[in-house]
Amino acid sequence: MTPRTPRAGEDADDLDVEEALALVNDAHTPGDRPSGDRTHGDDGAGGSGSHGSGSHGASASGAPAHRDGTDWAEARATAAHAPRRGGGHRGGHLPPVSVPLSSALGLTLAAPLIALTDLPSFDTSAMDGWAVSGPGPWDVREEGVLAGHTAHAPLTDGEAVRIATGARVPPDTTAVLRSEHGRTDDKGRLHATAATRAPHTVSHGQDIRPRGQECRNGDQLLPVGTLVTPPVLGMAAAAGYDTLTVVPRPRAAVFVLGDELLGEGLPHEGLIRDALGPLLPPWLRALGADVVDVRRVGDEEDALHQALKGCDADVVVTTGGTAAGPVDHVHPTLRRLGAELLVDGVAVRPGHPMLLARISEKQYLVGLPGNPLAAVSGLVTLAEPLLRTLAARPAPEGYTLPLRDAVQGHPYDTRLVPVALRGDRALPLLYNGPAMLRGIAAADALAVVPPGGAKPGYEAELLDLPWASGGIGVCFT
């Protein structure tokens, strides 16, 4: 087929996908990988609303310019390993800090959790009932034993005392008799009534939590690298901790590029709503980042240069401007800053013109394409593995599910397609063009579709979306 040039006002990104799908439909069946040169157009590089201020350039014939990109899996691996090669901490993560328990949720332990005391630290009652000494029946003391009160006098043989769950058992206690397993007679003497035991008997140590049952002082409770969850916070508190040594959240800044963007209201007179300003900060928080700055930057190289020079975030995320058009200033600005390009274009659709750069030993830039779904592709390809390493989080367990329907593919590049999980299958969703958010808004995951496409039943690798498994309240804190 003969490539055509974009019509006036037509997004070159959408044209590229249209051509790619036409190639697959005309020449290949899903699952077949075409042979030939790896040449493919740049998609999704525009400004940052639909975000189309960028330009791809064109060849002499009028066809979109083409360039190679890093393999998708290789690009993700490069992003994950970049901090380990940047001259920072040996493991690639940020320097550890000490934070109060109330601030540690979702962070990663940078030091093992060592018990600072025996747990429990004294013999305690596991049930409400009576602490008894020797065989029954027992004479019952008048004053009971409550949790948190000072130690009581030792019990003598044949004596009992009322006790609450969690209370410290008196010395010489044989066992705790549960409330439902005992009764007092008209003389106030306590008798065991459990049907499973002979009358007036209890087992030694019954319903007592002995000191050190869970751990001893100095035991390692959790290793370095453990994610701090609510139960971990509870364990740390029980073990005597007020603070934890953890890897902090990477500090992220979001620069939304483009003069054509509106912050509110309906699109009009060539202006469009900014979709990525609302989308990116909460998504980055879901990936473990602390978003410290969100700003709009106009289509001027000096404006972007000044914004980057004045930013001290660990990771800067930009939108749009990653191609080679007249207002695509990301590459020239990175050259001015002396940055090292680690990934410059990825063989993935949408999102091919994404990039990753090291600005300094302690700062990285993730350049996302301007079209919304292309930007999402850049998030999961480059931002997620980079942030994961900086925060010392483990990589998620990979998994696959069969596709319910066929998915058309790009001839040479990986495709990331929004899917909904339905039982044991993944349902590919419509409205998955680079400038569209309708599909991803209804999705549970992104399916990794190989070059050439996939037939129904193909076992596709799935990338869970952050909120699909954890819930918004958990992920977006």
Side-chain angles (χ1 to χ4, degrees):
M1 85 184 247
T2 302
R4 61 183 178 86
T5 58
R7 296 187 296 271
E10 181 176 43
D11 194 314
D13 182 15
D14 293 329
L15 173 62
D16 180 62
V17 172
E18 181 182 332
E19 289 179 341
L21 297 182
L23 280 171
V24 175
N25 289 336
D26 291 347
H28 306 285
T29 58
D32 295 333
R33 179 165 185 162
S35 59
D37 296 335
R38 286 178 47 81
T39 57
H40 38 274
D42 297 343
D43 74 318
S48 45
S50 129
H51 289 134
S53 65
S55 171
H56 303 290
S59 65
S61 66
H66 296 289
R67 63 173 175 169
D68 290 333
T70 303
D71 175 78
W72 177 75
E74 181 183 341
R76 295 194 85 210
T78 298
H81 287 89
R84 300 186 183 125
R85 299 169 183 166
H89 192 279
R90 185 177 63 181
H93 61 71
L94 297 173
V97 295
S98 180
V99 301
L101 296 186
S102 59
S103 301
L105 182 65
L107 304 182
T108 300
L109 291 181
L113 193 69
I114 305 297
L116 304 179
T117 181
D118 296 341
L119 284 182
S121 54
F122 45 80
D123 294 347
T124 63
S125 176
M127 302 294 295
D128 291 334
W130 295 268
V132 301
S133 180
W138 302 272
D139 293 321
V140 181
R141 287 182 184 174
E142 290 186 4
E143 184 180 0
V145 180
L146 300 178
H149 286 214
T150 57
H152 282 244
L155 292 176
T156 60
D157 200 36
E159 190 177 26
V161 64
R162 266 285 184 184
I163 194 166
T165 302
R168 185 172 187 170
V169 299
D172 299 327
T173 295
T174 301
V176 169
L177 180 66
R178 301 184 186 189
S179 296
E180 61 269 28
H181 293 167
R183 64 172 179 83
T184 54
D185 59 22
D186 54 5
K187 296 180 180 179
R189 290 171 61 80
L190 174 67
H191 300 263
T193 60
T196 57
R197 299 184 182 89
H200 313 312
T201 63
V202 291
S203 301
H204 195 278
Q206 168 185 317
D207 287 326
I208 293 176
R209 291 189 65 213
R211 177 174 181 168
Q213 181 185 51
E214 186 169 4
C215 67
R216 289 291 184 180
N217 186 8
D219 286 351
Q220 178 173 303
L221 304 175
L222 294 169
V224 170
T226 299
L227 183 68
V228 179
T229 61
V232 171
L233 291 174
M235 167 62 72
Y241 284 82
D242 299 316
T243 62
L244 289 175
T245 301
V246 293
V247 179
R249 291 179 177 85
R251 299 168 69 252
V254 177
F255 294 167
V256 181
L257 311 183
D259 290 335
E260 76 280 19
L261 304 177
L262 292 169
E264 59 182 17
L266 294 173
H268 63 274
E269 299 175 350
L271 301 178
I272 57 175
R273 278 297 295 271
D274 170 25
L276 294 180
L279 180 152
L280 289 175
W283 199 313
L284 290 168
R285 292 187 190 103
L287 296 179
D290 180 13
V291 180
V292 297
D293 188 11
V294 180
R295 69 174 79 173
R296 300 268 288 279
V297 179
D299 283 326
E300 297 177 0
E301 183 178 336
D302 285 343
L304 178 58
H305 183 257
Q306 289 302 315
L308 287 174
K309 280 188 66 177
C311 181
D312 63 354
D314 302 303
V315 177
V316 181
V317 177
T318 62
T319 68
T322 54
V327 292
D328 290 335
H329 300 306
V330 175
H331 282 91
T333 302
L334 291 174
R335 286 193 291 271
R336 286 177 66 181
L337 294 171
E340 177 188 2
L341 270 175
L342 305 177
V343 176
D344 189 12
V346 178
V348 66
R349 306 293 163 144
H352 175 274
M354 67 182 73
L355 62 85
L356 172 65
R358 181 184 289 118
I359 298 176
S360 68
E361 283 189 0
K362 298 181 179 180
Q363 189 176 57
Y364 295 85
L365 182 141
V366 177
L368 302 178
N371 276 317
L373 189 58
V376 167
S377 176
L379 274 179
V380 300
T381 302
L382 298 178
E384 186 276 330
L386 175 68
L387 291 168
R388 184 203 324 139
T389 299
L390 290 172
R393 288 187 167 191
E397 291 288 335
Y399 72 104
T400 65
L401 281 180
L403 296 176
R404 199 192 75 172
D405 304 324
V407 177
Q408 293 175 317
H410 188 275
Y412 315 111
D413 294 350
T414 299
R415 278 193 75 200
L416 300 181
V417 178
V419 295
L421 305 185
R422 297 291 182 264
D424 60 352
R425 289 185 174 266
L427 171 64
L429 297 173
L430 301 177
Y431 306 103
N432 54 31
M436 298 179 179
L437 287 174
R438 188 171 172 181
I440 194 69
D444 300 306
L446 288 167
V448 181
V449 177
K455 298 177 180 179
Y458 172 79
E459 286 282 341
E461 177 186 356
L462 297 185
L463 306 175
D464 278 335
L465 301 178
W467 54 87
S469 57
I472 289 179
V474 173
C475 289
F476 289 81
T477 54

